[in-house]
């Protein structure tokens, strides 16, 4: 029993520290606001929040973490990836080029009890865009370090999914067809852990190093 309590205390500490640091990053009310902003670097990791979801310390709950161009050298940019998530100017979009939009679309189909073969693409894409473009976000920008972005994305999802708090039953992701999304409270699948990962000494060192580096970056 003491081991379980100690483990829960460690996970809670990780989660609280992570939220504290992420909320020091520059925030934007929407993807549109970020796209219009001028940024020193074009690469980064993004964090979407749900303003309707709160965690115990009062912060908006983080519901998705993502990056871009993590395999080899890539010319992709953070703004380019977020444009894919945002969709088109007319309110439509293409869920086939954005895994985030695809996850949201599948959840909408299930929640609304749509017939996937009959629902019109433009109707569904508009509903996806309406949802995604209401979400505020924070960004962590990098000069151009794919390996570091990969580590930051992985460990962020790792902490959030392994330390997830209760979320509202009517949260859209609860209707996801993927158990990793519906149970973790995140619109992520890769790196998501819903099986209570064991935090051995090596894992603790890795997570602590990640949080220490994140703290340094939030002070820059």
């Amino acid at each position: 029993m003491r081991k379980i309590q100690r483990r829960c205390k460690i996970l809670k500490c990780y989660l609280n520290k992570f939220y504290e640091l992420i909320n020091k990053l520059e925030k934007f009310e929407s993807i549109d606001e970020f796209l219009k902003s001028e940024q020193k670097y074009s690469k980064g990791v993004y964090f979407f929040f749900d303003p309707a979801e709160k965690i115990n310390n009062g912060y908006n709950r983080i519901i998705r973490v993502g990056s871009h161009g993590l395999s080899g050298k890539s010319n992709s940019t953070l703004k380019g990836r977020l444009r894919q998530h945002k969709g088109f100017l007319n309110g439509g979009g293409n869920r086939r080029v954005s895994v985030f939009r695809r996850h949201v679309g599948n959840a909408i189909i299930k929640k609304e009890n749509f017939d996937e073969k009959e629902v019109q693409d433009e109707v569904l894409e508009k509903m996806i865009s309406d949802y995604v473009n209401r979400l505020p976000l924070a960004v962590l920008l990098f000069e151009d370090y794919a390996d570091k972005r990969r580590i930051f994305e992985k460990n962020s999802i790792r902490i959030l999914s392994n330390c997830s708090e209760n979320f509202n039953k009517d949260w859209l992701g609860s209707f996801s067809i993927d158990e990793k999304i519906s149970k973790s409270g995140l619109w992520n699948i890769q790196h998501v852990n819903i099986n209570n990962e064991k935090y051995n000494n090596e894992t603790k060192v890795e997570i602590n190093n990640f949080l220490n580096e994140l703290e340094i970056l939030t002070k820059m």
Side-chain angles (χ1 to χ4, degrees):
M1 184 64 161
R2 288 181 180 177
K3 286 185 178 180
I4 294 175
Q5 290 176 337
R6 187 163 59 248
R7 178 180 176 277
C8 290
K9 187 175 181 180
I10 291 172
L11 297 183
K12 185 71 173 179
C13 182
Y14 286 152
L15 185 68
N16 288 342
K17 184 64 175 178
F18 179 75
Y19 266 95
E20 175 190 328
L21 294 174
I22 293 301
N23 276 275
K24 291 181 180 180
L25 297 174
E26 187 173 7
K27 296 193 190 71
F28 302 88
E29 289 301 315
S30 65
I31 294 176
D32 253 341
E33 185 181 346
F34 174 66
L35 294 178
K36 294 173 184 176
S37 68
E38 293 186 7
Q39 301 294 334
K40 184 177 180 181
Y41 300 126
S42 63
K43 311 286 184 178
V45 178
Y46 62 84
F47 305 85
F48 276 115
F49 301 88
D50 190 331
E53 297 268 320
K54 303 288 183 182
I55 63 170
N56 287 343
N57 55 18
Y59 292 127
N60 290 339
R61 191 169 69 81
I62 296 172
I63 57 170
R64 179 173 170 82
V65 181
S67 188
H68 58 96
L70 297 179
S71 56
K73 291 185 177 180
S74 172
N75 293 323
S76 69
T77 64
L78 180 58
K79 286 189 174 182
R81 173 55 53 82
L82 289 173
R83 283 191 188 95
Q84 291 176 336
H85 295 336
K86 176 185 181 301
F88 308 143
L89 291 176
N90 64 2
N94 186 352
R95 63 189 185 279
R96 292 162 185 82
V97 298
S98 164
V99 67
F100 182 27
R101 291 183 68 90
R102 186 163 70 248
H103 291 325
V104 171
N106 288 336
I108 290 174
I109 289 171
K110 184 176 178 181
K111 181 181 180 181
E112 301 297 333
N113 199 26
F114 287 152
D115 185 323
E116 189 172 1
K117 295 180 179 179
E118 293 185 4
V119 63
Q120 295 182 352
D121 256 7
E122 57 268 27
V123 172
L124 183 58
E125 295 290 0
K126 176 66 166 55
M127 294 177 74
I128 296 170
S129 293
D130 286 347
Y131 174 81
V132 171
N133 291 310
R134 286 197 302 265
L135 302 176
L137 68 154
V139 296
L140 179 60
L141 297 172
F142 291 93
E143 190 168 357
D144 188 13
Y145 305 108
D147 288 341
K148 182 175 286 190
R149 283 187 284 115
R150 186 183 298 108
I151 291 171
F152 271 63
E153 181 187 51
K154 170 189 172 183
N155 284 313
S156 296
I157 296 171
R158 194 179 190 180
I159 289 174
L160 289 166
S161 64
N162 205 51
C163 311
S164 59
E165 299 190 11
N166 292 333
F167 47 90
N168 295 331
K169 291 182 179 179
D170 59 352
W171 177 62
L172 181 58
S174 299
F175 297 89
S176 174
I177 60 177
D178 194 292
E179 184 180 55
K180 285 191 173 182
I181 294 174
S182 63
K183 287 192 173 182
S184 71
L186 292 172
W187 291 108
N188 288 95
I189 292 178
Q190 192 173 18
H191 308 309
V192 164
N193 173 62
I194 55 175
N195 298 312
N196 296 319
E197 174 184 9
K198 293 181 179 179
Y199 275 68
N200 55 32
N201 288 333
E202 184 178 347
T203 305
K204 290 176 185 176
V205 169
E206 183 180 351
I207 295 295
N208 282 322
N209 287 341
F210 160 67
L211 290 173
N212 288 336
E213 190 167 4
L214 178 59
E215 185 167 21
I216 292 171
L217 289 171
T218 59
K219 292 179 179 178
M220 294 175 65

